[in-house]
Amino acid sequence: MPSPPVPAVGQLRVAAGRWPDDAQLSALIGELSMQSAEFRAIWVSGEIVMCAAGRKRLRHPEAGLLTLDFETLHVPAAPGESGLVVHVYSPQENTPAAEALTRLEAGL
């Protein structure tokens, strides 16, 4: 199994803190810990990463691999509420991802 990038491990730690009772998430962390010494080392470091912007590669079942820029808005929780996180994804103009999303939107 290839090693996960350090920011991905930090984001996974954020998710684990947000949903501590999620059995599938716990199983994933356990599997990664068993299969990757590098993951274990990064995990025990306790690093937390909250990305506000960047670029991600996502695989869409119809459009294939898409490279998209993203921005994240974190709205803090009010007492007794869970807060809000909004992710906005967009392709760069004149890229295969932009063309694929245009085809999806048109229903082609």
Side-chain angles (χ1 to χ4, degrees):
M1 173 181 295
S3 301
V6 174
V9 177
Q11 290 175 345
L12 187 60
R13 182 174 287 289
V14 170
R18 187 172 290 149
W19 298 289
D21 299 325
D22 186 310
Q24 290 179 320
L25 184 56
S26 295
L28 173 62
I29 294 165
E31 181 180 340
L32 290 169
S33 296
M34 289 176 54
Q35 294 185 16
S36 171
E38 185 176 4
F39 177 87
R40 282 192 306 276
I42 296 167
W43 187 259
V44 299
S45 76
E47 180 180 355
I48 293 177
V49 177
M50 297 291 287
C51 292
R55 182 166 290 153
K56 288 189 179 186
R57 293 178 63 179
L58 307 172
R59 186 170 310 279
H60 186 278
E62 295 176 31
L65 189 61
L66 302 172
T67 300
L68 303 172
D69 294 330
F70 73 92
E71 296 207 30
T72 303
L73 170 66
H74 295 273
V75 179
E81 296 183 5
S82 60
L84 177 66
V85 178
V86 177
H87 304 282
V88 178
Y89 292 88
S90 59
Q92 291 185 346
E93 292 184 27
N94 302 315
T95 62
E99 294 168 10
L101 290 174
T102 298
R103 286 193 304 275
L104 280 175
E105 182 180 32
L108 302 175

